Every structure is written in structure tokens, then in C-alpha cells.
Amino acid sequence: MTISYRWLSEYLPQTVSPEKLATILTSIGLEVESLESFENFKGGLAGLVVGEVIEVHPHPNADKLKLTKVNTGAAQPLHIVCGASNVAVGQKVVVATVGTTIYPKGKEPITMKLAKIRGEESEGMICAEDEIGLSDDHAGIMVLDQNTKIGTAVATLYEYVQDWIYDIGLTPNRMDAMSHFGVAKDVCAYLSYHETPVTAVSPLTQQVTKDKSIQAFEVMIEDEKACARYSGMIIEGVEVKESPSWLKNRLQSIGVRSINNIVDITNYILHETGQPLHAFDADEIKSNKVVVKKYASGTKFTTLDGTERSLTAADLMISDGTQPLCIAGVFGGLKSGVKLNTTRLFLESAWFENVHIRKTSVHHGLRTDAATRFEKGVDIDGTVKVLERAAKMIQEIAGGKCSELVDVYPHPAQKAKVNLSFAYLKKLSGKLYPVAKVKTILSSLGFEIINETIEGIEVAVPFHKPDIHIPADIVEEVLRIDGLDNIEIPSVITMSPSIDPLEKKEKFKDKIAQFLVGQGYTEILTNSITNSAYFTEETLATAVKMLNNLSAELDVMRPSMLETGLETIAYNLNRQMSSIALFEIGKVYGQSAKGSYYEAEQLCLYISGKQQLDGWRTKGVVADFFMAKGMATAIFQLLGIQGGQWKQTTEGQVEFVVDKKTAGKIQVVGSKKLQSFGIKQSVLFIQFDLAALFSIYQSKQVVYQEISKYPSVERDLALVIPQATPYEAIASCIQEAKIGALQETRVFDIFESDKLGLQKKSVAINFVFNTPDKTLTDTEIDLMMKKLVQQFEKNIQAEVRK
């Protein structure tokens, strides 16, 4: 929110310095994020003088330049080289003499120096409007009125305005502070509490003169929920023209571009009072009737920007009963807008429900100042007063006569009532406020004291504060005006212990993250909004698409974390970082078959390139499937998850299933997918379903046991098995043997040769046996090994290699 110091000061009954005002605003919750000086003309046109062109000759060395002599009232005329095509003898012009600094629009300042241009001396510059910051016009040099006196300081010909501009970080609930008058009321409440009682100077005291001979329009509201109040009047005989300089300067100071006097007045009123207005060309409203209604879905309507839009059935429209004229509270129509030849206006001031305005504004992508204010709520009690104020300004600036005011208000709003106990005020604020002080604050903010008891007070909430609903809101108002900087810090802080329901899950995630960091992985955080071009039509069918995406590339909530991870890998590879070990804990999104939305939290690992760099003794190892499987298995071991099985689902992808739940999967990313990201090295993707993983983790009971004091016994066994037999089959045989003393198994060699037989391979396995109560004998070990061999022979047709 942008606030002008000079503008704001008009509503303050006493002078407050810019610095003090900034302190007050921040103290009452209107945080001043910046305070900057403003000049309508940078440098104030200092040093510029009026001159008269007395000679113009072609430049001997340049076709497009001219040699001029200009009389500025000095003893001798100035010789100036000029490139403007419109320079002529007898013109009164703006001259920047040597030593003068000019401030061109959008450029760095330039100080005039004596110079030679193509061999000819130039003693200054004849200026165009943009060269001295008056406008963006660079069509030629400025030509002043012939009656302008030579030697006059140009600064005296224009109104020079200096101001201070505040940029306020406004919280979403503070619609009452979205105007200069609204902020002034807050400042006066602060001054009344801390200094002397004062009241903001209201701009809404004058009434416009009405002419009964001018027929007012009929107004009808079809949807009284969406439009609770609608006021309007006819103004005839107006002249649409350029706004006076004071009005243009006032709007320019807060960054609003001047359009014409009528539009500028509505913008002025918006920033003065917070009430949006709309001016129609009354001649475009047929049958002298205004109807607030909704149209059928698909109805076409062309807005002020020339865009034809397709309306929805929820869009509230201003119409003449037959054709739409304006999207209520959002944007005007091209046909009914004010034009230069408009002489008859219909001026609107209304209250539209915030939900309707928000939905329409977002759907059509029209984020206007009016929509922003209606979304947050406007003062339903002020529509008529603001309309009178605007009509009065139009009469003063554009002329015209006004009809009687029409105000349709079917169900007058009732003020909300809130009870505040003083005990609750002390409990929430931590401060004991005198009752008189509380009443002073609330009264100065517009609250009406309805009832007062020894325990508390009941207040009626003013219409310009629609965010006030509960006692805590009243406490906030008291704290703000007392000053947020004045909140006392107690010497002793007491608190009740609480149990965080998410604590266990957060510790679970932190345990995994710490382990991965210890293994050399780096945590990343990628955008959950990504590009739909990454996914197939089948995937997008159940994806969550953005309705109001900020860019074409960010238009869908990610259905998978693989693609956003590949973006990060590509980014690193492009910067010569080829050893990739990344992980991310994030969410994916989708739609169920019934159309409801869901989100699922996942842990994903991305592995690519050499995980150990080349050294003088060893060579680095490039990441492969078995390295990824080893890391996944290590995570399961970390969490104490045992008894699961790896199952291949598709080529290049396996899943780990525990208790019939898929806890994780490993995927060798396909070459086509890698090519779409410009990645030329293989990538392994490990994905864990955190909800399933956490559920399994919680269901497992942690059992502690003493480390065996007896020695372990190791035996090696070489099996000749079919070449296609996976290790999972061997592991399954070991599990089926159910040997409690078997503590650990490890494959330490794989050998393939035709000597073993056609399509055969040899797998050498190391077995470690141990019991906590005794030393195992050779006979016991032999029996256990025999049991294992029998399982291998029976289930995978293995032969023991001698």
C-alpha cells in the first residue's frame, strides 16, 4: 500500500513530521517498509530558463543538426547546436545553460558542459519534454507560449511538488487502512491515546447540489447477497479533458497514471476513501435503467482492454437489463466506458460481496485495484457519502449538473457486536489497561460502547472494520493503538507442556536425513509446481492443474518428484558437477478416481555419476542399480525394517514390499526421459512412500539384546545355479531355512564360465553363525549348512561347487 505524506496530512488536524509519522505507522501495525522522497520534476527544473530562438542555420558538417542563436536575457545570445526538426526562429523555448543539470525520464542526470559537436561550439541545450522529466514526449523541443518572458526561470511556469512516499506492508485483514483517510483515522487514534484527543478531518462532509429536472436512473438488484447496496446518480453536461495539475501530481505521487479528469477523480476517491467507484457513459445505458444481475455461462463480453471474455454463471454484472455493461467490482466494459466525447455520466458506488468478486477476478485474471478492495471488504455505510464526494469533485473539475441520488439498500446491515472481558484483555495482552484508556482507544477507532460492566464492555463494530468478529480482534485493536512496541516482556514466562502430534514423524524424517547427509548426500528443495510438458497425457489426467498459474512453465502440481529432481541434476551437470548424490523430502499431488484431491509425502534419492572419485590407489565407481539397492537397504536397516522382499515390476524398476505395503522402489531412469532434460549419464531414482515407511517403522517393536560373548563361525559355500536366477531367490531360500543362529550372509564372488555348464553361474556366499548362549560346534554348523544346501537344491536347482 502506497501512502503520500502530503495527501495523508490533509486529514490530520495537526502537523506530524514524516519521520514521526513513519514511527507511528509501524507502531500501530502498518509497517513502513520504505520511505522515499518524491518530486514530480526531478531536480525541480532548477537552472532552466526561457529563451527565444533568434537565428537558425544548417550545420556545415551534419545534415540533421542545426546551428541556433538563443536569447536568454544574458549579455550575449547563446550558440547552441540543436538536432530537433521543429526548431524555428521566434520560438520561445526551454534552455539548459552550461552548468545546469537536467533529469531525463528514465535516464541518469546530465550536467551541461561547453562542448563541440561536429566541430561547432554548443553553449547548452534546447530541451524536449522528456529531457527535463516533464513527460515521455520526445517528438521535438518544447515550444512555449509566445507571451512567456525571456529569461524566466522555467521552474516558475510549473507546479513543483515535493513529497514523502510510504510503502506500507499491509496485512490482509486491514481493509480499513487501504486508503489515506483510513490510515489518518488510525494515526489520530494513536495521537488521541498518547498525546491529545484529535479527530481525522473527514473529506465526506460536503453534499452535491442536485437538479430535480435531471431524471435519475432506475436501479434493480437481482442478487441481493452478491450486491447488498447499490447507489448511483446521473451527471449531465460534463467535459472530459485533462486533469488539473494538482490532481495529476497527487496520483503520480502514488504511482497512478493520469488518464482523464473523470477517471482520475474515481481513482482519487478510491485511494482517498477505499471505496471503488465506476463511471459509465450514460448514453450507452438503454432504457434509463441499471440492473445488477448474472448472465448465462458462455455469454460474451468485451472489457475495457479490448479483450472478449466468456462469462461464467457466477459473474456478477452491471447491465441495462438487456446487455452487460461492466463486470461488477472488477473491470469496466469497452462500450460503456467514459470517452472523450462523453457528456453524460452515470456514477456508481456499491457494495459487492467479497467472495463473488474474488472468484470472478481470479477466473478472468483481472487483478484490479477495485477488485482488491472489494475482496477484502469495503464500508457498506459509506457508499452514499463517497458518491456525493465524487460528484462534487466532478462538478468542480468537469462541470455538469447532478440528478437525485438513487440508493437501493434492500436489507440494511446491522453492526456486529462483540463482548470483551477485561480479564481476557489482560490474559491475551499481558498488560493491565485502565478501563478509561480502553474506551478511549475503541471510541477513537469508531467503536460504539453499547454496554459496560465491572467485568467488561460490549461494543458495536464500525462497518469499516469487517475483520472484527471475536474478542481477540478487539484486543488486537487495543494493542495496536497502545503501540506494538509497548508490549511488555514479563520477567517470568510460564507455559504448559504440550505434545506435538507431528513430533515423532519429524524426528523420523530427521533421522533419515541425518543418515543420508552422513553418507555424503545433499538435501535439495525443489518447486512443487512444475511444467506439465514433462508428463504424459495419462499422468496429467489425474494431475492437479493450476487455474491461475504465474507462468506457462509452472502450470501443474507435481505428480512425481522425479522430474523436478532431474531439473536439479541437469543444472549441476551443466556446471561440471558430475558426481550427483541428492535427496529430497517433499510432496506429490493428484486426483482420485472420484475427483477429490490428495497429497502424499515422499523421500526421493537421486544418484548419478561416480560416487567415489578416482584416487592414486583406487578408481572411482560409477553409480549403478546395485549401489542404489544397497543404499535403499541401508535405509531399511536404519529403521529396523526387516522381512521385506524386492520385486521387479517393470523393466528397470523394482519395489520393496513389507507386510503387503510398497515401502519403496528403485528406478533406472530411461534414456528418453534423460534426453528430455539434456542429461547424458545414467541416473538412479529411489522413491520411498513416507507414510507407508513411517507406518511400518512405528509398528516394529525395538528389541535390545546383549552382544554375544561367544565367537562367531564363518562358512563359505559356492553354488552353481542357472544364470537367470536372481539373488532374491537365494535370499528366499535362506529365509525359508529358518536358521536362528544365522546372523549374516554376504555374496563375495560371482563366476561365469562355460566350464560350469550351459547358462550357469557360480555364486559364492559367506555365512556367519552365532548364538548368545554357547560356542557352536562343527557338528551343529554342518547340520545348518546341510539344511541350507537342501533348500538351495530344492528351490533353485543349485549344485554345490567343489
Side-chain angles (χ1 to χ4, degrees):
M1 178 68 190
T2 305
I3 294 292
S4 157
Y5 170 74
R6 287 177 55 140
W7 194 346
L8 180 64
S9 296
E10 291 184 2
Y11 312 119
L12 299 178
Q14 64 188 55
T15 301
V16 181
S17 69
E19 295 79 10
K20 180 180 178 181
L21 188 58
T23 302
I24 292 174
L25 292 174
T26 299
S27 181
I28 60 178
L30 304 177
E31 183 182 1
V32 176
E33 296 181 342
S34 67
L35 174 60
E36 298 179 355
S37 63
F38 166 81
E39 298 172 286
N40 60 336
F41 309 129
K42 194 76 173 176
L45 307 178
L48 300 174
V49 296
V50 176
E52 180 180 13
V53 180
I54 56 178
E55 288 185 21
V56 178
H57 302 288
H59 193 294
N61 302 318
D63 295 338
K64 294 184 178 181
L65 298 178
K66 295 181 177 65
L67 303 179
T68 68
K69 279 188 179 181
V70 182
N71 177 16
T72 60
Q76 298 293 329
L78 301 178
H79 295 268
I80 298 176
V81 177
C82 181
S85 59
N86 66 327
V87 65
V89 173
Q91 291 174 334
K92 296 291 179 64
V93 294
V94 174
V95 180
T97 57
V98 173
T100 299
T101 300
I102 61 174
Y103 297 84
K105 276 276 187 179
K107 298 180 181 178
E108 293 297 317
I110 302 172
T111 300
M112 295 296 105
K113 297 179 181 179
L114 189 64
K116 279 196 173 184
I117 303 175
R118 293 289 183 92
E120 296 292 333
E121 193 172 77
S122 183
E123 300 175 301
M125 180 178 179
I126 304 175
C127 301
E129 286 193 8
D130 69 323
E131 291 168 337
I132 59 174
L134 284 181
S135 73
D136 296 320
D137 185 10
H138 193 69
I141 61 170
M142 292 177 62
V143 180
L144 304 176
D145 187 277
Q146 280 296 316
N147 296 323
T148 308
K149 186 178 179 181
I150 295 171
T152 301
V154 174
T156 63
L157 304 179
Y158 298 91
E159 182 184 0
Y160 174 55
V161 176
Q162 288 180 299
D163 202 350
W164 290 97
I165 304 301
Y166 301 90
D167 188 12
I168 295 176
L170 208 59
T171 53
N173 63 317
R174 294 302 311 280
M175 62 74 50
D176 59 305
M178 293 188 73
S179 66
H180 284 75
F181 183 50
V183 172
K185 287 191 285 188
D186 259 17
V187 173
C188 287
Y190 179 91
L191 295 173
S192 296
Y193 179 77
H194 291 278
E195 298 178 10
T196 56
V198 291
T199 304
V201 180
S202 175
L204 307 176
T205 56
Q206 295 180 325
Q207 289 190 336
V208 67
T209 303
K210 302 177 183 69
D211 191 329
K212 294 184 178 180
S213 66
I214 300 175
Q215 181 183 357
F217 279 11
E218 179 186 0
V219 173
M220 296 175 59
I221 302 175
E222 292 189 2
D223 189 335
E224 295 176 356
K225 180 179 184 297
C227 177
R229 189 175 192 180
Y230 192 96
S231 310
M233 67 166 52
I234 294 293
I235 308 176
E236 293 185 351
V238 300
E239 181 185 0
V240 180
K241 58 184 179 180
E242 185 180 1
S243 294
S245 59
W246 73 266
L247 180 54
K248 290 195 292 185
N249 289 333
R250 187 58 55 85
L251 294 176
Q252 182 189 351
S253 69
I254 59 170
V256 177
R257 181 174 60 90
S258 174
I259 298 174
N260 60 53
N261 53 354
I262 303 300
V263 176
D264 288 355
I265 288 171
T266 61
N267 283 333
Y268 180 89
I269 295 295
L270 172 71
H271 290 278
E272 179 184 57
T273 67
Q275 172 68 47
L277 302 174
H278 190 71
F280 298 85
D281 186 333
D283 292 331
E284 298 293 342
I285 303 176
K286 309 304 178 187
S287 306
N288 293 343
K289 181 167 64 175
V290 172
V291 182
V292 185
K293 60 180 292 185
K294 295 174 181 176
Y295 280 82
S297 181
T299 302
K300 302 299 181 184
F301 178 67
T302 304
T303 47
L304 269 173
D305 57 1
T307 302
E308 184 180 72
R309 303 178 189 274
S310 182
L311 302 178
T312 71
D315 293 336
L316 189 67
M317 303 297 294
I318 310 300
S319 75
D320 59 7
T322 57
Q323 61 179 351
L325 305 170
C326 168
I327 303 178
V330 179
F331 208 38
L334 182 63
K335 188 176 180 182
S336 63
V338 174
K339 299 170 277 291
L340 286 175
N341 59 355
T342 298
T343 59
R344 189 162 166 259
L345 300 175
F346 176 73
L347 191 61
E348 163 198 286
S349 177
W351 185 96
F352 300 117
E353 196 230 2
N354 54 357
V355 175
H356 275 82
I357 300 303
R358 172 70 180 177
K359 288 181 177 179
T360 296
S361 172
V362 171
H363 175 78
H364 293 290
L366 295 169
R367 308 299 296 142
T368 60
D369 283 344
T372 301
R373 279 150 176 90
F374 279 122
E375 285 173 10
K376 298 182 186 302
V378 298
D379 183 358
I380 196 170
D381 192 49
T383 58
V384 170
K385 296 175 185 177
V386 173
L387 185 61
E388 293 259 13
R389 163 72 167 160
K392 183 74 173 177
M393 286 188 67
I394 290 175
Q395 277 190 334
E396 294 172 351
I397 294 173
K401 298 179 180 180
C402 299
S403 71
E404 291 293 332
L405 188 147
V406 176
D407 181 28
V408 180
Y409 196 5
H411 309 288
Q414 300 298 315
K415 289 184 177 180
K417 297 178 182 179
V418 180
N419 284 293
L420 173 68
S421 73
F422 300 128
Y424 181 73
L425 173 61
K426 182 180 184 301
K427 177 184 176 181
L428 207 58
S429 68
K431 188 172 182 179
L432 181 61
Y433 285 95
V435 175
K437 291 288 188 180
V438 174
K439 292 167 63 178
T440 297
I441 291 174
L442 296 179
S443 298
S444 62
L445 288 172
F447 290 87
E448 179 186 348
I449 310 296
I450 299 175
N451 188 32
E452 180 183 351
T453 66
I454 193 171
E455 288 87 12
I457 56 174
E458 182 182 16
V459 297
V461 180
F463 289 113
H464 66 267
K465 288 186 174 291
D467 63 302
I468 305 295
H469 301 287
I470 57 178
D473 297 330
I474 304 293
V475 175
E476 180 188 1
E477 295 296 286
V478 173
L479 283 172
R480 283 195 316 105
I481 302 305
D482 180 30
L484 298 177
D485 295 338
N486 295 327
I487 296 176
E488 297 176 354
I489 301 176
S491 57
V492 178
I493 298 177
T494 59
M495 63 182 68
S496 302
S498 62
I499 299 175
D500 184 358
L502 297 177
E503 182 182 11
K504 288 185 178 179
K505 189 171 184 180
E506 292 304 315
K507 285 185 175 180
F508 166 76
K509 291 191 288 186
D510 185 62
K511 180 177 184 177
I512 298 172
Q514 293 293 344
F515 171 74
L516 289 171
V517 169
Q519 295 295 314
Y521 283 71
T522 301
E523 185 171 13
I524 61 173
L525 182 64
T526 60
N527 196 344
S528 58
I529 305 174
T530 187
N531 194 339
S532 61
Y534 294 153
F535 306 98
T536 63
E537 290 296 326
E538 182 181 0
T539 302
L540 291 175
T542 57
V544 181
K545 301 176 182 64
M546 304 293 292
L547 294 178
N548 190 29
N549 46 302
L550 297 176
S551 69
E553 292 77 23
L554 299 174
D555 60 346
V556 66
M557 302 292 286
R558 62 183 176 196
S560 161
M561 290 175 64
L562 171 61
E563 287 71 19
T564 51
L566 291 177
E567 285 182 330
T568 304
I569 292 173
Y571 182 88
N572 282 272
L573 291 177
N574 290 336
R575 286 156 181 79
Q576 311 303 314
M577 298 293 292
S578 59
S579 297
I580 305 293
L582 307 172
F583 77 95
E584 178 177 12
I585 298 174
K587 292 182 178 180
V588 295
Y589 308 84
Q591 294 185 65
S592 66
K594 295 181 179 180
S596 59
Y597 295 109
Y598 68 84
E599 60 182 32
E601 196 168 20
Q602 295 182 348
L603 163 66
C604 295
L605 279 65
Y606 312 88
I607 314 171
S608 181
K610 290 185 177 182
Q611 298 305 290
Q612 180 181 338
L613 299 179
D614 293 341
W616 66 276
R617 296 180 63 190
T618 58
K619 293 292 183 182
V621 180
V622 176
D624 59 10
F625 174 81
F626 296 102
M627 184 178 289
K629 185 180 177 183
M631 179 52 64
T633 303
I635 291 175
F636 290 131
Q637 290 176 346
L638 171 75
L639 303 175
I641 297 174
Q642 298 176 348
Q645 287 185 326
W646 289 101
K647 295 184 178 180
Q648 186 165 351
T649 54
T650 60
E651 186 177 352
Q653 181 171 304
V654 296
E655 291 183 349
F656 187 75
V657 180
V658 185
D659 299 337
K660 298 182 180 180
K661 294 180 181 178
T662 300
K665 68 178 183 181
I666 302 173
Q667 177 184 346
V668 180
V669 183
S671 58
K672 187 175 180 181
K673 174 72 77 173
L674 295 177
Q675 287 172 6
S676 65
F677 287 87
I679 298 174
K680 298 179 181 179
Q681 64 186 45
S682 63
V683 175
L684 281 303
F685 176 59
I686 310 175
Q687 173 190 304
F688 298 94
D689 182 336
L690 268 184
L693 208 60
F694 184 58
S695 175
I696 298 168
Y697 173 72
Q698 283 192 307
S699 68
K700 301 296 182 183
Q701 185 177 3
V702 178
V703 178
Y704 295 90
Q705 64 182 25
E706 185 181 358
I707 297 175
S708 175
K709 59 180 74 171
Y710 299 98
S712 297
V713 179
E714 295 187 29
R715 290 287 178 90
D716 294 338
L717 183 65
L719 300 175
V720 177
I721 58 177
Q723 201 172 49
T725 304
Y727 176 76
E728 191 64 33
I730 298 174
S732 179
C733 291
I734 296 172
Q735 285 184 347
E736 287 183 22
K738 296 180 181 179
I739 300 173
L742 181 59
Q743 301 296 311
E744 185 180 340
T745 61
R746 176 175 58 89
V747 175
F748 64 88
D749 184 53
I750 296 176
F751 174 69
E752 295 181 3
S753 173
D754 292 339
K755 295 178 180 179
L756 297 173
L758 188 63
Q759 298 293 312
K760 296 284 187 178
K761 66 180 176 182
S762 171
V763 178
I765 309 171
N766 174 257
F767 297 90
V768 180
F769 300 91
N770 187 280
T771 58
D773 55 352
K774 66 177 182 177
T775 300
L776 293 170
T777 65
D778 286 343
T779 302
E780 291 172 322
I781 299 297
D782 289 341
L783 288 173
M784 287 185 273
M785 289 299 296
K786 183 178 180 180
K787 190 175 182 180
L788 286 169
V789 170
Q790 288 173 347
Q791 286 291 332
F792 294 140
E793 291 174 341
K794 175 184 174 183
N795 295 337
I796 59 175
Q797 292 76 51
E799 298 175 9
V800 177
R801 185 181 174 196
K802 304 298 183 184

